[in-house]
């Protein structure tokens, strides 16, 4: 997208240093993911246990359960013994509940090889159903960007024991006794301010793009287009591969406010410059 916008809005053809900088940023991002997963699990992967997460999602939505029902008589997956227990569970329940069928098979690392085979089998058997549901989830993700996702007492209780193991029991107790652990965070108030800010930023972007597009710098217009495409692409990837959660879009939705504020400051600068020119001509 950066290369497309550069050809459309830049005054010259893409230069080698710019291309190198773009390639370097991609290399650092991909390399960091690979290095992190290699350090923790000695597995060279962009998404550790990604097949387990996809399996949970597709089991919740139906295709993976249908595939297992048809395959279990001939292919002996370990999950076949718990097929009845999987029905009716959400993908969060399959991944995180202590009595989940996934946990009965073993850890995510234990389940990953089998999950990968089931995911590929499900994808081959039900491609259209998966595509249709992915499009729906991407659309739902575009409407979910509230602040505070994951800042509930439930998540504090989920994370605290792991922090206690890595650091100390004192850290675990401090998390459980925090405002999040007690459910005292003002999440509703923050969500109201968050929504007001997003609406304000969106109105600024639309106002500047529709009424002031002729005076805006071409790079700023490119930034507006880039942010819109980036947010939509973020929703497609996260909604389709994991499911719609507020935290996924909340991480990038603030860019609308940023671009809106940059646009209004740019318009104010142009307006001030015009006033100076008028005064100069009047003299």
């Amino acid at each position: 997208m950066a290369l497309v916008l550069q050809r459309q809005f830049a005054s010259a053809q893409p230069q080698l240093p710019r291309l190198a900088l773009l390639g370097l940023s991609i290399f650092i991002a991909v390399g960091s993911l690979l290095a992190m997963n290699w350090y923790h699990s000695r597995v060279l992967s962009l998404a550790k246990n990604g097949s387990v997460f996809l399996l949970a999602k597709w089991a919740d939505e139906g295709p993976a359960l249908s595939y297992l029902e048809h395959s279990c008589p001939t292919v002996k997956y370990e999950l076949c013994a718990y097929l009845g227990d999987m029905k009716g569970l959400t993908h969060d329940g399959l991944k995180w509940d202590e009595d989940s069928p996934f946990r009965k098979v073993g850890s995510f690392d234990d389940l990953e090889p089998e999950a990968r085979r089931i995911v590929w089998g499900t994808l081959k058997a039900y491609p259209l159903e998966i595509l249709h549901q992915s499009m729906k989830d991407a659309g739902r993700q575009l409407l979910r960007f509230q602040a505070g996702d994951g800042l509930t007492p439930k998540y504090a209780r989920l994370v605290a024991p792991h922090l206690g193991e890595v650091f100390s029991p004192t850290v675990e107790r401090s998390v459980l006794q925090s405002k999040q652990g007690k459910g005292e965070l003002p999440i509703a108030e923050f969500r109201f301010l968050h929504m007001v800010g997003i609406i304000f930023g969106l109105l600024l972007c639309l106002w500047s793009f529709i009424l002031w597009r002729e005076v805006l710098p071409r790079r700023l217009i490119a930034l507006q287009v880039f942010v819109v495409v980036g947010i939509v692409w973020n929703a497609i990837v996260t909604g389709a591969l994991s499911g719609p959660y507020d935290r996924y879009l909340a991480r990038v939705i603030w860019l609308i406010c940023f671009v809106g504020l940059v646009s209004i400051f740019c318009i104010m600068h142009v307006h001030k410059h015009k006033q100076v020119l008028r005064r100069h001509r009047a003299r």
Side-chain angles (χ1 to χ4, degrees):
M1 189 62 197
L3 293 176
V4 171
L5 289 173
Q6 193 172 41
R7 288 184 177 274
Q8 182 68 27
F9 290 95
S11 57
Q13 292 295 322
Q15 300 176 2
L16 184 60
R18 294 179 180 178
L19 295 176
L21 185 62
L22 179 62
L24 179 63
S25 64
I26 297 174
F27 175 80
I28 292 175
V30 174
S32 299
L33 284 172
L34 293 174
M36 180 184 66
N37 285 323
W38 175 259
Y39 177 79
H40 284 288
S41 61
R42 293 297 183 266
V43 175
L44 203 61
S45 172
L46 287 175
K48 182 186 176 186
N49 304 135
S51 297
V52 175
F53 282 72
L54 266 181
L55 173 58
K57 182 177 187 293
W58 291 351
D60 183 7
E61 295 168 356
L65 291 182
S66 299
Y67 169 76
L68 286 173
E69 289 175 347
H70 286 89
S71 302
C72 281
T74 55
V75 183
K76 299 303 179 183
Y77 295 115
E78 290 189 60
L79 279 176
C80 290
Y82 310 103
L83 185 57
D85 298 334
M86 293 175 62
K87 296 179 179 179
L89 291 178
T90 65
H91 54 281
D92 280 334
L94 287 168
K95 289 180 291 189
W96 309 121
D97 286 357
E98 293 182 0
D99 58 345
S100 164
F102 284 14
R103 298 293 183 94
K104 295 176 182 178
V105 171
S107 65
F108 281 3
D109 292 338
D110 297 329
L111 183 58
E112 177 66 19
E114 178 172 302
R116 188 180 301 114
R117 297 196 301 271
I118 297 174
V119 162
W120 278 110
T122 304
L123 185 60
K124 293 177 182 178
Y126 304 98
L128 294 181
E129 290 86 342
I130 292 173
L131 177 62
H132 180 255
Q133 185 61 43
S134 297
M135 293 173 62
K136 288 175 57 178
D137 287 341
R140 292 166 57 201
Q141 181 63 76
L142 279 172
L143 301 176
R144 296 195 58 172
F145 47 81
Q146 290 280 15
D149 186 14
L151 297 180
T152 61
K154 175 183 176 181
Y155 283 96
R157 293 192 297 269
L158 179 67
V159 172
H162 299 286
L163 295 176
E165 292 177 3
V166 175
F167 298 102
S168 69
T170 303
V171 175
E172 178 180 354
R173 287 192 297 270
S174 68
V175 173
L176 295 175
Q177 294 300 317
S178 66
K179 288 191 174 183
Q180 177 182 345
K182 296 178 180 180
E184 297 177 355
L185 287 177
I187 294 178
E189 291 80 359
F190 275 117
R191 285 184 171 177
F192 174 77
L193 294 175
H194 184 253
M195 182 62 69
V196 170
I198 296 301
I199 294 174
F200 180 70
L202 181 60
L203 291 176
L204 284 179
C205 288
L206 293 174
W207 176 69
S208 63
F209 185 80
I210 295 174
L211 299 180
W212 294 85
R213 183 169 52 186
E214 298 300 326
V215 302
L216 291 178
R218 295 174 64 84
R219 287 185 176 184
L220 182 54
I221 297 176
L223 178 62
Q224 291 177 338
V225 175
F226 187 88
V227 166
V228 170
V229 174
I231 289 175
V232 172
W233 181 246
N234 177 279
I236 292 173
V237 172
T238 56
L241 296 181
S242 181
Y245 291 91
D246 285 296
R247 61 182 177 273
Y248 289 148
L249 208 59
R251 296 167 182 167
V252 295
I253 200 70
W254 64 270
L255 288 169
I256 292 179
C257 299
F258 171 73
V259 173
L261 290 173
V262 171
S263 299
I264 190 64
F265 278 116
C266 182
I267 292 171
M268 292 170 62
H269 177 75
V270 171
H271 183 67
K272 183 178 180 180
H273 181 67
K274 287 183 177 180
Q275 286 183 332
V276 172
L277 287 178
R278 289 172 185 171
R279 293 173 184 172
H280 181 73
R281 289 172 182 173
R283 292 176 183 175

